[in-house]
Every structure is written in structure tokens, then in C-alpha cells.
Amino acid sequence: MTADSAILDGKVAIVGIGHTEYRKRGELAHRGTYSLACEAIANACADAGISPSSIDGYSGYAYEAVEPLRIAAAFGAPKLGYAGMVWGGGGGGVLGAVVNASMALVCGYADYVVIYRSLTMSQATGRFGQLEVEKALTGDLSEDLTFSGPYGLLSPAQVFALNARRHMHRYGTTIDQLGEIAVNARRMAATNPDARFREPLTLQQHHDSRMIADPLRLLDCCMESDGAAAVVLTRTDRAADLAQSPVYVRSSAMGADFRYSSRLSVSDDDFASAAQTSLAEQLFARAAIRPDDIDVALLYDHFTPMVLMSLEDFGFCAKGEGGPFVADGQIGLTGTLPLNPHGGHLAEVYLHGMNHILEATRQLRGTAVNQVPSADLALVGGAGGVNPTTGCVLSR
Amino acid sequence: MTADSAILDGKVAIVGIGHTEYRKRGELAHRGTYSLACEAIANACADAGISPSSIDGYSGYAYEAVEPLRIAAAFGAPKLGYAGMVWGGGGGGVLGAVVNASMALVCGYADYVVIYRSLTMSQATGRFGQLEVEKALTGDLSEDLTFSGPYGLLSPAQVFALNARRHMHRYGTTIDQLGEIAVNARRMAATNPDARFREPLTLQQHHDSRMIADPLRLLDCCMESDGAAAVVLTRTDRAADLAQSPVYVRSSAMGADFRYSSRLSVSDDDFASAAQTSLAEQLFARAAIRPDDIDVALLYDHFTPMVLMSLEDFGFCAKGEGGPFVADGQIGLTGTLPLNPHGGHLAEVYLHGMNHILEATRQLRGTAVNQVPSADLALVGGAGGVNPTTGCVLSR
């Protein structure tokens, strides 16, 4: 036999989505990640019309602290057939969970797989993106940071600020264009009752927000938040009998542009990128579609410039044209590529991309608050960087 | 379509194995886990007759610190198609890496997947199984330990000591019978040049070793060690062209006996078990074999009593008969079920089960130091406990 993507793609569907309330960092610490994960999963199962005890597979994001056996015990599930996760901090991972879940279903390890992410930032994980200053001073840095850390290059914001500067230098990208991505997120979130930041935002307010790592301002960065979200997947033969219209996984993939394997790669000529070109190739090839077939994009928005570069990497616009594309209103609800209609990590909640999968599902069910008319195909993209990047194409 | 284990099982083969030198904890700290992982992977690729740059998939044990992109960068690999790992500390995980690797190959995400484990215990991970006394005093325990920790139930040895006592109480299992597992490991390792502990051991020496957690003595516990090991897998169509006779993955599975989902389950009537019965059912059913078809067993030997209970869980002897089975010499090289002919975690090296996969491969190639004559089928089993347990059946 030979490898055959037809074994997998299109054979699996999202049949349930659920989440908890979304709150500010620390506000759900009293609940704990375990309780939040169970609530999100129970909600996703209710949405699907199945009992949580039917779940026999668990597919997690990197280093998810809530372990599958504890969830299975909570729900009295009689069987566990699959439990897998992926590498990578930040946004590299959560869509890899779609890969693992799909494979486990089609290869017969499980019948209902749940993907979940639960965060209370004050618990276990601490705050994301915090400077590892103490480690830098004591020399106890992880290997990637050994060379750059002592010079102060420590936090994600600092790292991606370099990418942003490179893009601005090479292509004339402006602060206004970055700001437009933050403004778009708030515009979308204004009508989303689950979103944490629903107040409108002007470009001037973006510019006036405090500098985090030049050129990144506070409002270029995703929020810190507590909450959990979950998605239930099953094989398409089972999906037909459930409560919701299935949303099909047309393709899912992992990829890496190796020139970004380290923070030491800053001198590379192609640094003005979100490192997702090889991922994009795989995703579109497996789904047998082109970028302009996509009706709505859910792109990983940890920092505004990385969204802009992702638009280029995925081929929604030419290299270097991300700035004008955004400024021309193409990412608005009536643009050529509506982007993050839930408000994304910048305005709804920061859940490492899980909330993007939920929104893609709502869009393809036709139940989104900011519904893209006749949305047939959605792209969900993870973030590129020092870890493998992941993504999926979903369809009605 | 329906789920079909025929999609996967038997379609994937182990085509290369490699490892570094095995040393005492801390002795390879100067090398670092990254360097060790790369050496083991390079050796496995050389064994297979492929270039390390051909590797396009990475399947890891839980929380493996050496991230795939760094390995890919080291070898100049042009492509990354899959990177997945599994939950679970201790022995739950490494054979789950076989599940992920097999799926990724058959579903077309990658052509050559490497499974690896690299440990320098003084680096990153610290020492395994260390008492979390400080955390217990400050109340900063992980959730599983919240209730049992304050009473002093903290380390793996303490937890598994309870299982051992339960088995002794219910079935009359003796210290001599536990000791025989340690003696067997040393007897095997005596002729293995890679093994760290090659000195013969008597039952008396076992009894005289210092108590760790009654009834577990020092020589009931696996060693602490540094080193790395790797295995390369590919689809069977590619395997035929490579340097070694392929060793086929006949089945691989994950499982859990949920009554063991927490250390709070000590009152359960079936606690005298290694929690592998549901795993065993899946493994044998998928491979369409019975326990007595197995020619050689590589069982996870973190603590001697758990080996004894694993023999029962996998059906190599009746429940409660593990003690007499071991004492009768059935696990020796000329017994009915030769066990861990490399010396296992007790005498070769402790690498979270990776070295067990390597030995199973050597046995099925017919190249082992302590070769089981005409070995056709090998069982490799992970440890049960608070995490999903995993295993695989390999064949010539």
C-alpha cells in the first residue's frame, strides 16, 4: 500500500462545539482548568447530542495540563482508545490536534474524539510570554534562548517585533496597517456577546496604546484570559445521526518553514513571514482547492503583524501586499476575505486557537453572530515560529 | 466509511534502530539531550540505510524536551509533515508514539517517522520520582496529589508500593517472587555489552538492598540513567528497499482501566493490577493473536511488582499467579515467556520504554545478544497508572 490522503480527508466531521464563559486572566482561577475543561466538553457533547461518556478519544494541544484520564473518570466513560497531543507553545499546536483526532477516528482507535483547551493563566502555566529574566541572569535558559537571551531577546512579543520590523523595512508596511487588524477584531467583537473586548477601537487609540516591544503596541498583542473550549469530532458515517449539521475536515496538516527553526534565524532574507508557506501548500493540495476558494479565514492573531504575514503566506494576497490588503478593508465582513468574525484572540478570547475552530464551525453551520453569507469553506491557521505550524480547511 | 483497523495494522514497519551510550544519571549532562537525540537518530537512520534528512515525521513521548524542528534543522531536513506526542509521565507514553507514528505514515503525513527519547536527568527534567515535599508543604501540588500528598503519598515508588502490598495481601505474592524479576534482569544483562548493570544478583542481595517504600527495595526500582534511543518507521512498501529486514507493527493501542485514574482509587478491589487489561484486549484483538502466541515480552519494568501484575493483565498467566509464574523460571531465556532479554529498565538502561522497542526489534531480526530462538512475535507493553497505557505487538 502507499500513503493516501484520501484515507483521511473528508472522512471526519466536527459535530459539537462548546465553551465556558470567557474572562480576564485569573478570574476563573477558582474554577481550575480541570473543571473548566469538563464544562466545555460537556457543552460540546450536548451540542452534538451525545453523552460525554461516549468520548473515547482525547486530542490535545501541547502540554495541556488537564489529562485525559481525569476527564474520562469525571464523565464515567467506559473506554479510552486514543490520547495524543502535539508539540509547541503558542499557536503552533492546536490545529495539529485536528490531525491527531482525524487519524485516530479513521484508523479505528476511537469513535468520538474531543479536542479541548483549558486555561487559567494563574494556574500551572503562569503567565504566557513573560520575560525569562531570572533564567537569563542565571544562565538557566532553554537551549533556543541560550544565545539570544543574554541580549534581552526573551519574550514572544520581542521575537515577533523583529519579524514586524523586517516586514516594514522590506515592504513599507505601516503602523496604520497593523492597527487595522486590531480595529477589525474589535469591530467584529462588538456584536459577539461572548467576546471580552466589545468596545470599538480607533486607529488613534491603537497608536496611543503603550509600547510593548517596538513596533508592537499593547493593542497589537492578544489578550490574557481564562476559559475553556472544546470540539467533538467523529467519522462522517456517525455524524449524520447527530444533532447538528456536520462540518467536514476537508484537510488538516502540519508544516514548517525550516528557516524559522530558531530565533537565531533573524538574518534570513525571508524573515518577513509567518513561516506558513509549506503548511499552506499541503492544506490546499490535500483539499484540492485554491486560496480564493476560502470564504472565511480564522487566522492565529497573537500579534497583528503575524496575521498580516499569514495572509501572504496562505496566498490571500501577494508577498508584501498584506498591508494594503488589510487597509483596503478586504478582511472586513463585506471584504473578499472576512477575517476572524468572532473577534479572535485580540477581542474575543485567547485560547491558543481553539476559539477559532469554534467560530469556523459556526460560520459553516450558518449560525455565527457575524455570519459570512453562504460560507462553504473556512481556513483555520495556527501560528508559525519555532514550532511546527498547523492548520485545517473545514467545509459545509 | 467505517473505522477499520485494517487501514493501519501491519502496514507499517520498524526499519532502523539506534542509541547512544548508556550512562549513569548526570554523566551525559555535558552532552545535553539535543545532542544525544541527534546521535541516536543518526544511528537509527544509518541502521536503516537512509539519510537523517529523509525524516519528515517525529513522534515523541510525553513532554519530550527535544523539539522536532530543532532536530530537523540539525539534519537539514527539507520537510516536516508530522510531529505528535502523547500524554503521560513514566511508562504510559512511549508506545503511544508507535500509534501516532503509524497513523501519520498510513494517512500520508510523512514517509519516515522517527520515535525518540533523550534523557539527561540533571537537565530540564530534574530527577524522576523525586518527592514533591516542598510542594506538599506549600499546598502547590498538582490536582491528583491534592488529597494524597499531604499524607505523604508523593513519589511513584510510594504509589506502586501500595499496589504491591495489595497483590501480596490478596494472592500471597512474596518478596522472593518480586526479587526474581530483578535477578532475571541482571542474568539477562550479564551478556549485554550496552547494559549498565551486568553484575549477577542473588535474591539475598535483593533482600538486603535498602528499603525505598515498603515493600519496594532499591533493587525493585529501575535505575536512573542518561542516554537516548531512536526508532525509524516507514510504510511497508518503502521498507522492502531498505538495509534491514523490516519488523512489522502488527498492532498498537492505547488503553486505560479507569478505576486507576487517580491515586485515590486505592480502595478498589482490583487495585492489585497494572491497569493494562483493556489495553491487552485491544492489542491482541487487532493483531488477531492470543497471549500464548507471543514469543518474547518486553514489559515496562519501573518497579518489579508492576512487571508481575503486567504478566497477569496481558494474560500470560492467571490473575494472582504472577508470583509462581516468575518463580518457576518462566520468564528466563528458556522459559515459556522470555522477558526483557536486554535487561530492561532494571539492568540495561531506563529510557521510558524506548530501549524495549529496540530490543523487540533485535529479537525479531534475530540479532539480539540473548536471542530467543525463532522469535516471530514480540509484545512491548507500557506501564499503567494515572495515564493512558500503551503497547504494541511486533512481528517478523
Side-chain angles (χ1 to χ4, degrees), chain B residues 21 37 55 80 93-94 99 101 105 109 111 117 142 156 169 195 215 251 318 354 363 370 387 395:
Chain B
E21 61 177 333
I55 299 292
L80 182 145
V94 75
V99 171
L105 288 164
Y109 287 105
D111 292 326
R117 184 67 175 154
S142 63
H169 172 74
S251 68
M354 267 305 297
Q363 288 288 340
N370 296 311
N387 294 299
S395 74

Side-chain angles (χ1 to χ4, degrees), chain A residues 159-294:
Chain A
V159 172
F160 292 112
L162 295 178
N163 296 71
R165 269 286 169 227
R166 182 77 180 160
H167 201 275
M168 293 168 78
H169 172 73
R170 287 196 65 167
Y171 302 112
T173 303
T174 66
I175 298 297
D176 274 8
Q177 289 164 347
L178 301 184
E180 185 55 43
I181 291 166
V183 169
N184 178 69
R186 289 291 186 94
R187 197 182 292 128
M188 296 292 198
T191 52
N192 175 4
D194 293 320
R196 285 196 52 228
F197 296 146
R198 291 195 289 271
E199 307 75 23
L201 189 70
T202 64
L203 278 180
Q204 191 58 49
Q205 283 174 303
H206 167 268
H207 299 348
D208 291 345
S209 67
R210 68 185 168 90
M211 194 66 82
I212 301 296
D214 191 4
L216 299 185
R217 291 158 170 79
L218 180 67
L219 294 175
D220 288 304
C221 307
C222 57
M223 71 180 79
E224 298 182 293
S225 45
D226 285 2
V231 171
V232 176
L233 297 97
T234 191
R235 291 182 295 279
T236 50
D237 57 327
R238 286 177 181 268
D241 303 328
L242 300 180
Q244 305 288 343
S245 296
V247 165
Y248 299 97
V249 180
R250 278 284 293 272
S251 68
S252 60
M254 301 187 188
D257 296 354
F258 286 123
R259 52 190 175 276
Y260 298 103
S261 64
S262 160
R263 288 167 184 171
L264 300 175
S265 60
V266 291
S267 64
D268 190 279
D269 198 43
D270 283 330
F271 191 64
S273 156
Q276 296 182 311
T277 54
S278 63
L279 172 71
E281 277 170 31
Q282 291 181 71
L283 277 179
F284 293 133
R286 291 182 78 120
I289 59 169
R290 295 150 35 98
D292 58 11
D293 294 323
I294 297 293

Side-chain angles (χ1 to χ4, degrees), chain B residues 66-154:
Chain B
V66 182
E67 296 186 339
L69 278 197
R70 301 186 67 233
I71 297 170
F75 290 125
K79 174 174 173 280
L80 182 145
Y82 182 75
M85 61 174 162
V86 291
W87 263 285
V94 75
L95 297 156
V98 176
V99 171
N100 278 341
S102 299
M103 297 196 306
L105 288 164
V106 170
C107 293
Y109 287 105
D111 292 326
Y112 295 101
V113 178
V114 66
I115 300 175
Y116 61 100
R117 184 67 175 154
S118 180
L119 291 179
T120 61
M121 284 205 190
S122 58
Q123 186 189 22
T125 49
R127 290 179 73 172
F128 294 117
Q130 212 155 20
L131 292 169
E132 302 187 29
V133 172
E134 192 183 332
K135 287 186 176 179
L137 293 173
T138 58
D140 190 27
L141 290 165
S142 63
E143 297 178 33
D144 256 8
L145 289 171
T146 306
F147 298 98
S148 57
Y151 298 95
L153 190 62
L154 289 160

Side-chain angles (χ1 to χ4, degrees), chain A residues 36-222:
Chain A
L36 293 173
C38 289
E39 180 185 330
I41 292 168
N43 288 343
C45 290
D47 182 58
I50 63 168
S51 161
S53 67
S54 305
I55 299 292
D56 57 355
Y58 300 84
S59 183
Y61 172 83
Y63 310 113
E64 170 61 53
V66 182
E67 296 186 338
L69 277 198
R70 301 187 66 232
I71 297 170
F75 289 125
K79 173 173 174 279
L80 182 143
Y82 181 75
M85 62 174 161
V86 291
W87 263 284
V94 76
L95 298 156
V98 176
V99 171
N100 278 341
S102 300
M103 298 195 306
L105 287 165
V106 170
C107 293
Y109 287 105
D111 292 326
Y112 294 101
V113 178
V114 65
I115 300 175
Y116 61 101
R117 183 68 174 155
S118 180
L119 291 179
T120 62
M121 284 205 190
S122 59
Q123 186 188 24
T125 48
R127 291 178 73 171
F128 295 116
Q130 212 154 21
L131 291 170
E132 302 187 28
V133 172
E134 192 182 331
K135 288 185 176 179
L137 292 172
T138 59
D140 189 26
L141 290 166
S142 62
E143 296 177 32
D144 255 9
L145 290 171
T146 306
F147 298 97
S148 57
Y151 298 95
L153 190 62
L154 289 159
S155 78
Q158 290 175 321
V159 172
F160 292 112
L162 295 178
N163 296 71
R165 269 286 169 227
R166 182 77 180 160
H167 201 275
M168 293 168 78
H169 172 73
R170 287 196 65 167
Y171 302 112
T173 303
T174 66
I175 298 297
D176 274 8
Q177 289 164 347
L178 301 184
E180 185 55 43
I181 291 166
V183 169
N184 178 69
R186 289 291 186 94
R187 197 182 292 128
M188 296 292 198
T191 52
N192 175 4
D194 293 320
R196 285 196 52 228
F197 296 146
R198 291 195 289 271
E199 307 75 23
L201 189 70
T202 64
L203 278 180
Q204 191 58 49
Q205 283 174 303
H206 167 268
H207 299 348
D208 291 345
S209 67
R210 68 185 168 90
M211 194 66 82
I212 301 296
D214 191 4
L216 299 185
R217 291 158 170 79
L218 180 67
L219 294 175
D220 288 304
C221 307
C222 57

Side-chain angles (χ1 to χ4, degrees), chain B residues 197-390:
Chain B
F197 296 146
R198 291 194 290 269
E199 308 75 23
L201 188 70
T202 65
L203 277 180
Q204 191 58 49
Q205 285 174 304
H206 167 267
H207 299 349
D208 292 344
S209 66
R210 68 186 167 89
M211 194 67 82
I212 302 296
D214 190 5
L216 300 184
R217 291 159 170 78
L218 180 68
L219 294 176
D220 288 304
C221 306
C222 58
M223 71 180 80
E224 297 182 294
S225 44
D226 286 3
V231 171
V232 177
L233 297 96
T234 192
R235 291 183 296 279
T236 49
D237 58 327
R238 287 177 181 269
D241 302 327
L242 300 180
Q244 305 288 343
S245 296
V247 167
Y248 300 96
V249 180
R250 277 285 292 273
S251 68
S252 61
M254 301 187 188
D257 297 355
F258 285 122
R259 51 191 176 277
Y260 298 105
S261 64
S262 159
R263 287 166 185 173
L264 301 174
S265 61
V266 290
S267 62
D268 190 278
D269 197 44
D270 282 330
F271 192 64
S273 156
Q276 296 183 311
T277 54
S278 64
L279 171 72
E281 278 171 31
Q282 291 182 71
L283 277 179
F284 292 133
R286 290 183 78 121
I289 60 167
R290 296 150 33 97
D292 59 10
D293 293 324
I294 296 293
D295 299 306
V296 55
L298 292 305
L299 297 184
Y300 200 90
D301 49 341
H302 46 351
F303 301 106
T304 58
M306 305 319 289
V307 176
L308 192 146
M309 296 180 216
S310 292
L311 290 166
E312 299 174 1
D313 285 358
F314 281 110
F316 294 120
C317 60
K319 188 73 203 160
E321 295 296 318
F325 184 84
V326 164
D328 288 353
Q330 302 302 336
I331 61 170
L333 207 51
T334 58
T336 55
L337 186 78
L339 175 83
N340 295 356
H342 55 331
H345 292 142
L346 296 166
E348 190 192 49
V349 70
Y350 182 58
L351 276 181
H352 285 134
M354 267 305 297
N355 50 319
H356 292 41
I357 306 179
L358 269 64
E359 174 65 8
T361 303
R362 286 186 293 257
Q363 288 288 340
L364 296 169
R365 286 178 178 179
T367 61
V369 170
N370 296 311
Q371 181 65 46
V372 175
S374 311
D376 285 322
L377 280 170
L379 172 78
V380 194
V386 293
N387 294 299
T389 181
T390 59

Side-chain angles (χ1 to χ4, degrees), chain B residues 34-49:
Chain B
Y34 178 44
S35 165
L36 292 173
C38 288
E39 180 184 330
I41 292 168
N43 288 343
C45 290
D47 182 58

